[in-house]
Amino acid sequence: MTNHPATPHLDQIKTPADLHGLSDADLTRVANDLRTETITAVSRTGGHLGAGLGVVELTVAIHAVFDTPRDKLVWDVSHQCYPHKILTGRRDLMPTLRKKDGISGFTKRSESPYDPFGAAHSSTSISAALGFAVARDLGGVPDTGAGDAIAVIGDGALSGGMAYEAMNNAGHLGKRLIVILNDNEMSIAPPTGAMSAYLSRLYAGAPFQELKAAAKGAVSLLPPPFQEGARRAKELIKSATVGGTLFEELGFSYVGPIDGHDMEQLMSVLRTVKARADGPILIHAITKKGKGYAHAEGRADRGHASAPFDVTTGNQRKAPSNAPSYTKTFAQALIREAEGDDKIVAVTAAMPDGTGLDLFAERFPKRCFDVGIAEQHAVTFCAGMAAGGLKPFCALYSTFLQRGYDQVVHDVAIQRLPVRFAIDRAGLVGADGATHAGSYDIGFLANLPGFVVMAAADEAELVHMVATAAAHDEGPIAFRFPRGEGVGVDMPERGVPLEIGRARMISEGNKVALLSFGTRLSEVQKAAEALAAKGITPTIVDARFAKPLDEEMILQLAAHHEALITIEEGAIGGFGSHVAQLLAENAVFDRGLKYRSMVLPDVFIDQASPADMYAVAAMNAEHIEARVLDVLGVATLGQRAGT
Ligand SMILES: Cc1ncc(C[n+]2csc(CCOP(=O)(O)OP(=O)(O)O)c2C)c(N)n1
């Protein structure tokens, strides 16, 4: 492990109030230490690196000028909040970042009064900050007091529709509200879309212009040293036909662009804004993702997320993988299908690497669409393409699909449009914690009329499900698969479409049937091995479909076993509930079947490794084994024998 580099200036800062009154030069020294400390911390735990490094000066300046936690600082997505955590009393806890029982990788209300609003999904900060501003003006007094409301939002997050809904509302209400646009010209991947191009035009080719846009209306908001320059700039642009900025049209005063790494500029602009703002104001700060750490700056994603790494070499310490990841398997299978069918197109919402669609885009650049952080649009865009005769695959993480739910119902399901949903990161995902868990998609999709809902039990099954989705033109279809590596099964040459609504018998046994939906199948098989040693041979079935259910098979299992247990990587109200409904309606319980369902517990599970999270959820092999013993009454007997 590397020695802890000295950080004498940061060491003086115990709370943000200690920054008040420091000179700009001293604040710069603190910022330099804070950058070092952030790099050291993330090198040991892994996590989001590039975004935090990009806002080090901004973080120091905001805390130096504003009075947190009375003033409410709301970080958008909040993956950039590590420097903020270090400054707000959590420095000593950084070694526990994103670990079981440790601190979260995002802001979290329950963790600190300095985190007034939790986040992890993007584009929510302006809405939340506006809520704080209105609450303040209407007499709401939270425990920490009521002060200014400040949202910090990235240019990537500004591709999400909610940010505009919030600005539209804020411009109309006219309340004092401070939005800082942290523009690093990066999302995870390079940002896409017209808005990104617009932001670039605001400062393209010109030196930092606190001047230009300020010249168009916000001169009085600038500190005096900038005002002269702004007047000059005004003269310069008089002849040019530059309209008001989009932000001004929305009712915001616009200040910028400013250099988000220049402490003097930051401090003078923030001080002046604090002293004079009387309505919504947007400060446009230009920053560099990964700033100050060459190994992050040099990476294609600017060090967006990292495993633990060696600070000197930048080399990440990742365990070698044994089997292909589900994500890559999906991408390769989709490419193979698309080679034979030119109607197949694919859509990602700002996650080309995360969904594997970067590979698809390399092969079919015209048939792949990165729409930005815009899941709602992604879903309806796919619905339109499906109505227009294409075969769209909408590739989203389970957790982010949540944002497009009304679009799934209203635009896709009701119109029975054949949109294919490839749902990655299904189930518990690990270090990102509860905000990123893919817990609900089975429940919220399987209750929609006409939807087909599948879960892959292993990577070979995933290949068949991609083929099934490609072939299914009758209506919407979804298949879910987890984060991480497959189990190492033999892979088929090509995917073969599955018969819709047919389960797969894995092994026939007696007394108890284990009906698995998704990748818990391997845990079920491990449990079965342990049970075999105890003389119990369960029947094992891979359900493949939560909708439509293989009713015939399930009723057969119920008829020929004493007990039936379902297991799925999803919350209550999913596969198991549909099975229970089927059994109830067919009077199976009247005849005495012992039925149990293993679902995620009815709590939000904090971050840990996926295996640890499944342990908390009691869904690993040992728990399945215990459940079988319990339902058959064996555990009780065993305990009695032992006492
Ligand atoms: C609704 C939603 N979709 C996708 C993501 C995944 N995601 C996390 S950070 C990020 C990029 C954010 O870019 P930006 O706001 O510019 O911040 P930067 O990382 O560049 O500082 C994305 C797409 C998310 N957090 N929320």
Side-chain angles (χ1 to χ4, degrees):
M1 192 177 273
T2 37
N3 291 329
H4 209 110
T7 51
H9 304 284
L10 180 63
D11 297 347
Q12 306 303 313
I13 309 301
K14 300 297 174 216
T15 76
D18 297 333
L19 296 168
H20 298 172
L22 292 191
S23 68
D24 292 358
D26 278 340
L27 291 173
T28 303
R29 289 184 193 101
V30 172
N32 292 341
D33 280 2
L34 184 55
R35 176 165 283 113
T36 305
E37 182 72 7
T38 304
I39 295 167
T40 308
V42 185
S43 75
R44 292 170 184 176
T45 58
H48 289 103
L49 176 65
L53 294 182
V55 295
V56 166
E57 287 78 13
L58 202 49
T59 306
V60 171
I62 293 170
H63 280 297
V65 170
F66 291 93
D67 180 22
T68 59
R70 183 173 170 275
D71 291 335
K72 307 293 174 254
L73 173 55
V74 183
W75 295 98
D76 205 279
V77 184
S78 79
H79 62 314
Q80 75 290 66
C81 72
Y82 303 177
H84 161 83
K85 291 204 175 194
I86 292 170
L87 280 185
T88 53
R90 285 166 278 182
R91 185 177 181 186
D92 292 345
L93 295 173
M94 289 306 282
T96 72
L97 186 78
R98 288 158 55 91
K99 296 200 168 130
K100 188 167 171 12
D101 304 324
I103 56 172
S104 165
F106 300 101
T107 53
K108 200 168 176 182
R109 274 173 61 82
S110 58
E111 195 179 287
S112 166
Y114 291 94
D115 292 359
F117 206 77
H121 290 199
S122 93
S123 318
T124 62
S125 62
I126 306 178
S127 301
L130 181 61
F132 279 114
V134 168
R136 171 198 64 209
D137 292 354
L138 292 185
V141 187
D143 291 346
T144 45
D148 261 319
I150 307 136
V152 183
I153 183 166
D155 56 307
L158 205 62
S159 62
M162 234 183 117
Y164 299 90
E165 297 172 26
M167 281 193 285
N168 185 43
N169 192 198
H172 166 70
L173 291 177
K175 303 257 175 217
R176 176 172 156 123
L177 167 74
I178 298 154
V179 176
I180 302 177
L181 170 56
N182 169 38
D183 183 1
N184 56 20
E185 291 190 277
M186 274 295 281
S187 187
I188 295 179
T192 58
M195 184 64 197
S196 162
Y198 171 75
L199 291 178
S200 302
R201 277 204 306 278
L202 283 181
Y203 59 91
F208 281 117
Q209 303 185 45
E210 59 281 357
L211 318 175
K212 178 172 140 192
K216 289 183 277 132
V219 178
S220 62
L221 281 168
L222 286 173
F226 292 119
Q227 289 193 9
E228 187 45 35
R231 267 181 220 108
R232 273 205 314 276
K234 193 170 191 171
E235 293 307 309
L236 275 175
I237 60 174
K238 239 182 191 167
S239 49
T241 49
V242 182
T245 69
L246 173 68
F247 304 108
E248 286 167 335
E249 301 291 342
L250 284 169
F252 278 70
S253 299
Y254 173 93
V255 178
I258 61 170
D259 181 348
H261 298 300
D262 180 332
M263 191 63 79
E264 258 180 68
Q265 261 190 60
L266 280 172
M267 288 299 292
S268 55
V269 168
L270 288 180
R271 277 195 205 104
T272 310
V273 163
K274 182 177 160 126
R276 300 206 204 147
D278 57 0
I281 182 156
L282 183 131
I283 301 168
H284 186 180
I286 309 300
T287 61
K288 192 166 196 178
K289 194 162 178 170
K291 170 80 176 176
Y293 183 54
H295 296 294
E297 286 188 35
R299 267 171 52 183
D301 68 351
R302 307 285 180 265
H304 179 81
S306 177
F309 58 91
D310 181 296
V311 175
T312 317
T313 63
N315 291 338
Q316 297 185 45
R317 287 190 282 277
K318 278 186 189 159
S321 55
N322 304 311
S325 73
Y326 281 98
T327 301
K328 195 161 181 196
T329 302
F330 156 66
Q332 288 168 339
L334 186 62
I335 289 169
R336 272 200 299 282
E337 294 297 328
E339 280 165 350
D341 187 341
D342 66 1
K343 298 290 180 287
I344 290 179
V345 292
V347 172
T348 168
M351 307 294 284
D353 299 11
T355 56
L357 287 194
D358 52 341
L359 303 174
F360 188 89
E362 266 172 38
R363 182 75 178 76
F364 301 109
K366 293 214 169 82
R367 290 157 64 183
C368 191
F369 303 91
D370 180 352
V371 299
I373 310 179
E375 289 80 5
Q376 300 180 322
H377 162 65
V379 173
T380 305
F381 175 46
C382 284
M385 288 196 287
L390 295 179
K391 296 182 176 174
F393 278 73
C394 189
L396 300 173
Y397 290 9
S398 169
T399 189
F400 300 140
L401 175 60
Q402 288 163 196
R403 190 160 279 190
Y405 188 53
D406 182 56
Q407 287 72 6
V408 170
V409 178
H410 175 265
D411 299 326
V412 176
I414 290 179
Q415 307 195 88
R416 295 192 72 100
L417 287 167
V419 175
R420 286 84 172 160
F421 291 92
I423 304 176
D424 202 329
R425 307 305 196 270
L428 301 174
V429 293
D432 281 335
T435 54
H436 280 56
S439 310
Y440 309 109
D441 59 284
I442 310 171
F444 70 58
L445 294 178
N447 61 3
L448 297 176
F451 232 98
V452 175
V453 181
M454 304 182 277
D458 58 42
E459 62 273 34
E461 282 290 295
L462 176 57
V463 173
H464 296 311
M465 288 181 181
V466 173
T468 310
H472 186 75
D473 263 329
E474 290 71 41
I477 187 164
F479 52 97
R480 72 191 315 255
F481 49 97
R483 171 185 171 216
E485 290 166 21
V487 285
V489 292
D490 290 341
M491 294 298 276
E493 267 295 297
R494 280 201 72 92
V496 179
L498 305 171
E499 189 181 340
I500 300 292
R502 279 275 164 265
R504 174 170 70 122
M505 175 63 73
I506 303 289
S507 59
E508 288 194 59
N510 51 48
K511 277 200 174 159
V512 60
L514 298 174
L515 180 54
S516 171
F517 182 63
T519 53
R520 286 292 98 184
L521 182 62
S522 57
E523 295 296 311
V524 166
Q525 287 172 314
K526 274 189 229 158
E529 277 168 31
L531 287 164
K534 297 188 165 95
I536 298 168
T537 316
T539 295
I540 301 176
V541 173
D542 170 15
R544 279 182 169 156
F545 294 84
K547 185 157 201 174
L549 288 175
D550 189 340
E551 298 190 354
E552 198 185 317
M553 164 92 89
I554 294 169
L555 292 173
Q556 281 296 322
L557 291 175
H560 294 107
H561 294 80
E562 185 183 326
L564 174 66
I565 302 178
T566 58
I567 180 157
E568 69 201 279
E569 290 141 324
I572 185 170
F575 172 68
S577 299
H578 285 261
V579 172
Q581 181 81 12
L582 172 77
L583 297 173
E585 293 304 323
N586 284 273
V588 176
F589 296 127
D590 310 11
R591 299 194 292 272
L593 176 78
K594 294 175 183 164
Y595 171 72
R596 302 288 184 275
S597 69
M598 297 184 75
V599 296
L600 295 175
D602 197 21
V603 291
F604 294 107
I605 302 178
D606 283 336
Q607 76 280 349
S609 69
D612 280 345
M613 289 175 91
Y614 278 115
V616 172
M619 286 176 73
N620 289 333
E622 72 217 68
H623 307 106
I624 300 168
E625 183 193 345
R627 206 68 196 265
V628 169
L629 295 174
D630 178 59
V631 76
L632 295 180
V634 179
T636 327
L637 287 178
Q639 273 164 17
R640 269 190 211 135
T643 48

